[in-house]
Amino acid sequence: MAKIWIYADVTGGKVNSGALELLTKARSIDGAEVAAVALGPGATDAAATLGEHGAATVYASDDAVYDDHLAQPAAHALKQLVDEHQPNLILFGLTYPSRDVAGRLQALTGSTLMSNASDLPSTDTAQTQIFGATKIVDVKLGGPDPKLVIFRPKSFPAEPSGGSANVVAVNAEIGDDLKKAKRTERHEEEATGPKLEDAAVVVSGGRGLQDASNFKLIEELAAAIGKAATGATRAIVDSGWVPYSYQVGQTGKTVKPSVYIAVGISGATQHLVGMKESKRIIAINKDPEAPIFKIADLGVVGDALKILPQLTEEVKKRKG
Amino acid sequence: MNVVVLSKFVPNPEGVPEMGDDFLLKREGVEGSLDPGDEFGVEAGLQLADTTGGEVTVVSMGPEAGATQAIRKALSMGAAKGVMISDPQLKGSDALVTAKVLAAAVQRAGFDVVIAGVESTDGYTGTLPMTLAELLGVPALTFAKHIENRDGTIVIQRQTETGYDVVEAPAPVVITVTAGANSPRYPTLKGIMQAKQKPVDQVTVSDLGLAEADTQPTQTVEAVNAAPEKAAGEVIEDDGNAASRIADLLAEAKVI
Ligand SMILES: Cc1cc2nc3c(=O)[nH]c(=O)nc-3n(C[C@H](O)[C@H](O)[C@H](O)COP(=O)(O)OP(=O)(O)OC[C@H]3O[C@@H](n4cnc5c(N)ncnc54)[C@H](O)[C@@H]3O)c2cc1C
Ligand SMILES: Nc1ncnc2c1ncn2[C@@H]1O[C@H](COP(=O)(O)O)[C@@H](O)[C@H]1O
């Protein structure tokens, strides 16, 4: 019987949705014994949600040490739990804190760690997509247990099972030498509108907008549609037109809205991996050869600066 | 402060990547460069060393031709010396093997700060620096978009999903820098000339005191298949009707 664990990121007292997706997948595996590990303020409260999604056991601690001192305490607590309970496989979501913990845990357990996984065909094989998700690679995971695998967001749907978890308190020894790194401030950007990952419509802009000031055309279209979020390519994030939190792609967010509108975006593979699973893709680009057209349901060859205001007007008109 | 910067050679990021019969990404005999992501690391390292009066050692592991090119670039930007780890035994290394080898090389070079990229452009595993930090037994300040030294304590702005955090740790420490954290300097002609005279230490696995068991990869590619292709959609020229066609699709999707 395979023991599968999910490391659930609870930064800021909220469970990362990736953990719920991974629990949904794990509980579908025949004979799997599924548990979650949640460390940091809010962990015990999170246990209920984790249980609802398939964790039979949740190893939890609300100790602020896991939040205040970054990944070292969590990696060492996880190692102590691993030694005690011997899981075969630990699944992580692709978040910054989880990446930090997984990387460190690998050094402590000497086991294999695979990143960017997209599926789990068996408990010792994981899949990843390469070359802009045009190829799927099956990777056999060898070496000692527990195998460690980090999954891209939205690799599986998150569905509640209606279960409930047995909560086991974690009392790990965390020495002072593990508390050298510390967080001293948090800065949150003001968020308006729906979250990029959850929005039904995403309107994204790229370098084809020509100038930072033209991003407002994207915002105006999103506002006219309603329930729409705005996204961006790395090219315009790196140029400082919009904050990093807007970035869609390999090193940004993964989105799967009902409609994705790509404006002035060439369609580099690193952008495509973050949005190609969208239900419908609309692209506006002045270059008929732009790779984005290969995955678009509706491609429009034309000038974005001209079409955007017309489209915003048209949407307003139809919504009355 | 003595800074070790990890620098990787990657196949040309703009080019079409090639895979060999062994399912490994081709890294030999291909065009490429120092990973563009690592240029930010080199720049951050030079700034730290300049303000604290230390020097930068650049460490690269990989096939000789590429690793040499990556190291040369960093030396021409201003790094003082290089360490190149090239060994046929390391072909096909996975993240753990690479971390062990780099940890041994970094320890051998001596460091106050180790700087790496957030993720490599070709492999984008993005966990190597944390594994390295744990092997070295030091804290890590990851996803830095701004780095500062305050009397031996490194203070960074750490990129988060919704903004940034300020985090700090005393040296010795591992830092990963995001793309865009700084503006990497261009090598000057003088820098390029000087780079040719700078020492580059060539080491093998046994020089680093690692056993063969340390270099056994734990992941093997079993199959590579084409992903299901999406049916091609319709592409139209904007003749003034594009806005209306797009609005039709939005209505069909029931989002307006
Ligand atoms: C390791 C790594 C990770 C990366 N991660 C990401 C990531 O997460 N997300 C991401 O997006 N990118 C990522 N990139 C960058 C990616 O490779 C591309 O460089 C980037 O996506 C290009 O952005 P763009 O489409 O805005 O710009 P460009 O490629 O410059 O495209 C601009 C497009 O606009 C069109 N255009 C110009 N004028 C107009 C007009 N008036 N009207 C309509 N169209 C017009 C042009 O025809 C062109 O196709 C990554 C790269 C690397 C190496
Ligand atoms: N072979 C290597 N040689 C030198 N540095 C490396 C090597 N592999 C990875 N790195 C460093 O580790 C970072 C993250 O790599 P990765 O975890 O492989 O995505 C890179 O940006 C480099 O700074």
Side-chain angles (χ1 to χ4, degrees), chain A residues 33-314:
Chain A
E33 201 182 297
V34 182
V37 179
L39 304 171
T44 311
D45 285 346
T49 315
L50 296 166
E52 269 165 31
H53 286 80
T57 307
V58 177
Y59 300 100
S61 166
D62 291 325
D63 196 330
V65 69
Y66 299 114
D67 212 22
D68 296 346
H69 297 285
L70 305 158
Q72 261 175 309
H76 283 260
L78 196 47
K79 170 66 162 70
Q80 291 173 32
L81 289 169
V82 165
D83 287 344
E84 193 179 335
H85 303 284
Q86 318 253 330
N88 303 103
L89 185 63
I90 308 181
L91 314 181
F92 298 81
L94 189 66
T95 63
Y96 288 172
S98 285
R99 269 163 71 175
D100 284 353
V101 172
R104 284 194 175 268
L105 183 63
Q106 171 179 46
L108 294 169
T109 58
S111 47
T112 202
L113 168 58
M114 178 169 158
S115 246
N116 281 299
S118 55
D119 203 353
L120 186 71
S122 76
T123 51
D124 62 0
T125 323
Q127 287 183 335
T128 182
Q129 303 182 345
I130 59 164
F131 300 172
T134 56
K135 292 210 156 36
I136 297 175
V137 185
D138 288 19
V139 179
K140 177 103 184 167
L141 307 169
D145 282 351
K147 274 99 184 169
L148 314 175
V149 189
I150 305 179
F151 283 86
R152 288 195 62 84
K154 298 192 163 61
S155 292
F156 312 103
E159 285 156 9
S161 63
S164 72
N166 174 30
V167 182
V168 177
V170 174
N171 295 305
E173 291 278 339
I174 305 296
D176 281 346
D177 54 328
L178 300 177
K179 297 181 191 165
K180 285 184 184 150
K182 61 172 186 268
R183 178 184 282 110
T184 55
E185 291 169 35
R186 277 184 204 275
H187 296 261
E188 302 276 327
E189 281 152 14
E190 231 175 282
T192 48
K195 268 182 78 181
L196 191 50
E197 303 95 307
D198 306 332
V201 181
V202 174
V203 189
S204 287
R207 196 144 47 189
L209 291 172
Q210 318 279 345
D211 189 87
S213 64
N214 291 327
F215 197 79
K216 71 171 187 303
L217 300 175
I218 297 285
E219 286 163 347
E220 283 162 6
L221 174 59
I225 294 170
K227 48 188 181 289
T230 49
T233 63
R234 172 157 142 187
I236 73 167
V237 170
D238 284 354
S239 306
W241 295 9
V242 293
Y244 168 74
S245 57
Y246 284 47
Q247 186 172 315
V248 173
Q250 182 181 299
T251 45
K253 303 228 156 73
T254 302
V255 300
K256 274 190 189 178
S258 299
V259 182
Y260 188 88
I261 310 179
V263 185
I265 293 176
S266 59
T269 57
Q270 295 94 347
H271 186 76
L272 300 188
V273 295
M275 47 64 76
K276 71 181 264 294
E277 302 292 325
S278 304
K279 209 145 166 225
R280 297 177 189 78
I281 297 168
I282 300 172
I284 304 173
N285 194 304
K286 69 172 187 196
D287 173 10
E289 304 295 324
I292 190 80
F293 288 133
K294 290 209 188 78
I295 63 153
D297 297 280
L298 176 62
V300 174
V301 181
D303 183 356
L305 302 180
K306 207 174 106 209
I307 298 169
L308 278 174
Q310 291 172 354
L311 179 56
T312 302
E313 276 318 302
E314 181 70 23

Side-chain angles (χ1 to χ4, degrees), chain B residues 3 5 39-49 115 147 177 182:
Chain B
V3 184
V5 177
E39 288 184 21
F40 300 98
V42 175
E43 179 61 40
L46 291 170
Q47 289 183 12
L48 262 184
I115 301 184
I147 303 169
V177 288
N182 50 39

